[in-house]
Amino acid sequence: IPRRIGCESGDVPLEQQERFRALLALGRIMALAVFHEQPLPISFSPILCKHLLRVPVGMGDVRQLDPEFYNLRVARVLKPHGVDEITVALGEPLTFLSAASETCLEPQELKPGGAQVAVTDENKTEYVQLLCEAYLCGGIRREIQCLLQGFWEVLPPEVLEPSELRPRELSMLLSGVMILDATEWR
């Protein structure tokens, strides 16, 4: 689950407040679709389905979504002596900062004080997990939280957990299963 950032108004501009309200509503609609077994005519990311079920996102999701980022930023750190090689290439220690992305142009601290915490062989697994979570959720945490809040208002996580529903199954409940008729295509 992305780190919590509320979707309450506060100092948020009116345009963003409207977007947050729309995401709350979308989350509610998604939950109602599951509850009433009425699939929606759109598909949802497996990563979003993981968030809805409180399943952690991580390296496997990044590998599937962006193999290039995974190979350059994750696999290189995890290989033996990878942290040392990256430190030499950078000319300075690798620290707990996120990678710039489309949704978050400036690197952000992956944890409090992360800009001063060097990545070592002992903490590289923590670094990679935080890096992957930031890459997948970084610039849209508030939006994800609003959508989750709306979904969970209708279908609380405590109701979903006993069903042992998996993200792929939730995706099918949300979007249905596309049935293609070969004769219609001819």
Side-chain angles (χ1 to χ4, degrees):
I1 297 174
R3 288 176 287 216
R4 180 116 177 94
I5 294 179
C7 44
E8 53 280 338
S9 55
D11 295 333
V12 177
L14 185 60
E15 182 180 303
Q16 280 188 320
Q17 288 181 38
E18 290 174 12
R19 184 173 63 212
F20 295 155
R21 279 194 290 276
L23 288 165
L24 280 166
L26 176 60
R28 292 176 185 136
I29 290 168
M30 291 168 61
L32 286 170
V34 171
F35 184 78
H36 291 290
E37 298 178 9
Q38 293 295 314
L40 299 172
I42 54 177
S43 62
F44 295 94
S45 159
I47 293 168
L48 175 61
C49 292
K50 281 186 166 189
H51 287 308
L52 292 169
L53 295 172
R54 292 183 164 175
V55 174
V57 296
M59 292 181 275
D61 299 301
V62 171
R63 182 184 315 142
Q64 187 174 22
L65 184 69
D66 189 345
E68 184 177 357
F69 180 86
Y70 177 83
N71 289 330
L72 294 174
R73 296 295 308 258
V74 177
R76 289 179 71 192
V77 172
L78 292 175
K79 73 179 192 176
H81 307 292
V83 174
D84 295 334
E85 289 175 14
I86 292 171
T87 299
V88 169
L90 291 174
E92 60 186 35
L94 180 63
T95 59
F96 276 75
L97 290 175
S98 68
S101 70
E102 292 176 18
T103 58
C104 195
L105 300 176
E106 293 295 319
Q108 304 292 314
E109 288 188 336
L110 297 173
K111 64 181 190 176
Q116 286 75 43
V117 178
V119 178
T120 64
D121 282 332
E122 290 76 34
N123 66 13
K124 70 182 178 183
T125 304
E126 176 191 13
Y127 166 77
V128 165
Q129 182 61 35
L130 292 171
L131 178 70
C132 290
E133 191 270 342
Y135 183 73
L136 295 170
C137 309
I140 57 169
R141 286 184 205 288
R142 186 172 276 171
E143 288 83 351
I144 293 171
Q145 282 296 333
C146 290
L147 193 116
L148 294 177
Q149 181 179 332
F151 188 90
W152 291 340
E153 284 175 4
V154 177
L155 276 177
E158 298 78 30
V159 171
L160 293 171
E161 285 171 7
S163 71
E164 297 182 10
L165 198 61
R166 294 191 309 258
R168 176 94 173 114
E169 294 165 337
L170 178 60
S171 177
M172 289 171 47
L173 287 172
L174 283 167
S175 304
V177 178
M178 182 64 94
I179 299 172
L180 298 176
D181 185 354
T183 57
E184 286 182 21
W185 281 72
R186 292 182 186 169

